[in-house]
Amino acid sequence: MKTKIEWTEKMAFSSTTPSGHQIKMDAAEEVGGSNSGARPTELLLNAVAGCTGIDIISILTKMRLNPTKFYMEVEGQRADDHPKKFTEIHIHYALEGELPEDKVLRAIQLSMDKYCSVSHSLSATIHASYTLNGGETKGL
């Protein structure tokens, strides 16, 4: 998977995802942004929830279980010092319907332990490199 994110103005960036969807990111006004898009950290919390939510619906469907309502509340705790990374992410799952609790717990466990690529990517090693004005690629 590959994507391109372009600087648009001040602290704002935009991207078209590989699946063709637009994303706008920006910083808060108090740090030089215009508040014209989501913060990258907000997108990260949404990505974790979206990934695990898709997994859970898929697993429950395979179990022939159909929720009538499903939402998640996600809360992330961040470190006080830079890089102010997330130190904890808590997801509260709320599902309604005729769903045996043990099956729902199994679906959540499978998502978090095995299938959710976003949550597992949070511990990935990130390799940074750069080119300057089309020059040679350099690593950090």
Side-chain angles (χ1 to χ4, degrees), residues 11-137:
M11 303 290 260
F13 290 82
S14 68
S15 172
T16 301
T17 67
S19 57
H21 300 280
Q22 291 284 312
I23 295 176
K24 290 181 73 175
M25 295 177 280
D26 198 359
E29 292 172 348
E30 57 267 17
V31 295
S34 299
N35 194 32
S36 65
R39 310 296 178 266
T41 49
E42 295 170 339
L43 293 173
L44 182 63
L45 288 182
N46 278 275
V48 170
C51 181
T52 188
I54 289 169
D55 289 343
I56 290 166
I57 290 296
S58 175
I59 293 164
L60 291 175
T61 300
K62 288 175 185 169
M63 293 178 180
R64 301 188 198 293
L65 297 172
N66 300 303
T68 56
K69 187 174 182 179
F70 179 20
Y71 69 89
M72 292 164 278
E73 293 176 348
V74 186
E75 184 175 350
Q77 301 297 320
R78 294 177 66 190
D80 292 331
D81 297 323
H82 286 285
K84 297 185 180 183
K85 70 178 184 174
F86 283 107
T87 56
E88 289 186 34
I89 296 174
H90 176 79
I91 303 174
H92 170 76
Y93 299 95
L95 293 97
E96 294 179 12
E98 294 188 33
L99 305 166
E101 187 175 346
D102 64 324
K103 302 282 187 184
V104 172
L105 290 173
R106 180 70 177 141
I108 293 169
Q109 183 179 36
L110 282 169
S111 175
M112 297 310 291
D113 293 346
K114 185 173 183 178
Y115 294 114
C116 183
S117 57
V118 175
S119 64
H120 287 278
S121 294
L122 292 176
S123 62
T125 301
I126 298 172
H127 301 279
S129 63
Y130 67 94
T131 57
L132 185 57
N133 298 322
E136 180 183 330
T137 300

